[in-house]
Amino acid sequence: NKDTKGDYLINKLLDGENIALISDAGMPGISDPGEDLIKQAIENNIEIDVLPGATAFTVALVGSGLDTHKFVFEGFLDRDKKLRRKRLEEIQEEDRTMIFYESPHRLIESLDYLKKSLGNRKIAVCRELTKLHEDIYRGTIEEAYNWFLENKPRGEFVLVISGKTESEIKAEKEQELSGISVEQQLINLINSGIDKKEAIKLVAKEREIPKKEVYKIAINI
């Protein structure tokens, strides 16, 4: 395994031998134990050369039809349910396209978690990329979940999920602000440690109203 073989291979490299790290699918070192060997080699001042190869997440991103200008690679969701839930809560507001790896026996469960945590976003479920049985399912997370309930998942998967759009962020902010007054919003910001002048700017910007209107209310705070 990577722990016992790592030192063995590093010693061979230090003795002057050349070693190639290869993979039967995907790019070595991406969500792959080869990452640990690469780190060990660098720590031991061993020169490494990287040759480009098939990388599932870039193939999935381009083939997804979703935004490719900004994206974040998340790798595999944690097997621990608490850690997985924590990470999904952390990326709920992510506006970049998100990319995950997933195995067939966890796909349905993960799609359910993703929908509950991120909402019913657009998704491309990419299977067996760069291999013979490659295919891509495009739709919403809920549609994908229902599809794979009826069609047993097989092979390795890459999930590409749309980030939160500006219109969604704006709508959520408007809904949030509709429940509190300008005065209360100012008080909340000031109590959190923000300078009154800066709080006035933030409130005016978020509510898209003139600063002078907010200033009049802030005088009495």
Side-chain angles (χ1 to χ4, degrees), residues 177 182 185-186 189 197-215:
L177 295 176
V182 172
Q185 187 182 0
L186 283 166
L189 289 171
K197 186 177 180 180
E198 188 62 29
I200 292 169
K201 288 181 183 178
L202 286 171
V203 172
K205 182 178 180 181
E206 287 186 353
R207 291 180 178 263
E208 298 182 349
I209 58 177
K211 280 196 293 184
K212 62 181 180 181
E213 289 185 20
V214 183
Y215 178 77

Side-chain angles (χ1 to χ4, degrees), residues 57-99:
F57 79 80
T58 53
V59 175
L61 176 64
V62 174
S64 70
L66 300 176
D67 182 27
T68 63
H69 290 85
K70 296 185 298 179
F71 62 91
V72 56
F73 175 66
E74 289 286 334
F76 286 93
L77 287 168
D78 203 290
R79 291 179 180 274
D80 183 279
K81 290 185 178 181
K82 289 183 179 179
L83 294 176
R84 178 171 48 190
R85 183 170 61 249
K86 181 176 181 292
R87 182 57 191 152
L88 289 174
E89 287 173 355
E90 290 171 349
I91 61 174
Q92 282 178 345
E93 302 304 313
E94 180 62 69
D95 63 350
R96 294 172 293 180
T97 301
M98 294 168 284
I99 307 170

Side-chain angles (χ1 to χ4, degrees), residues 154-173:
R154 291 185 175 87
E156 298 302 316
F157 291 86
V158 184
L159 313 179
V160 186
I161 302 173
S162 63
K164 185 168 283 189
T165 64
E166 287 186 18
S167 59
E168 287 174 328
I169 294 171
K170 185 177 180 180
E172 287 179 3
K173 196 66 182 177

Side-chain angles (χ1 to χ4, degrees), residues 40-54:
Q40 278 186 275
I42 292 171
E43 288 168 0
N44 285 275
N45 297 313
I46 295 168
E47 183 180 350
I48 65 168
D49 291 309
V50 181
L51 300 179

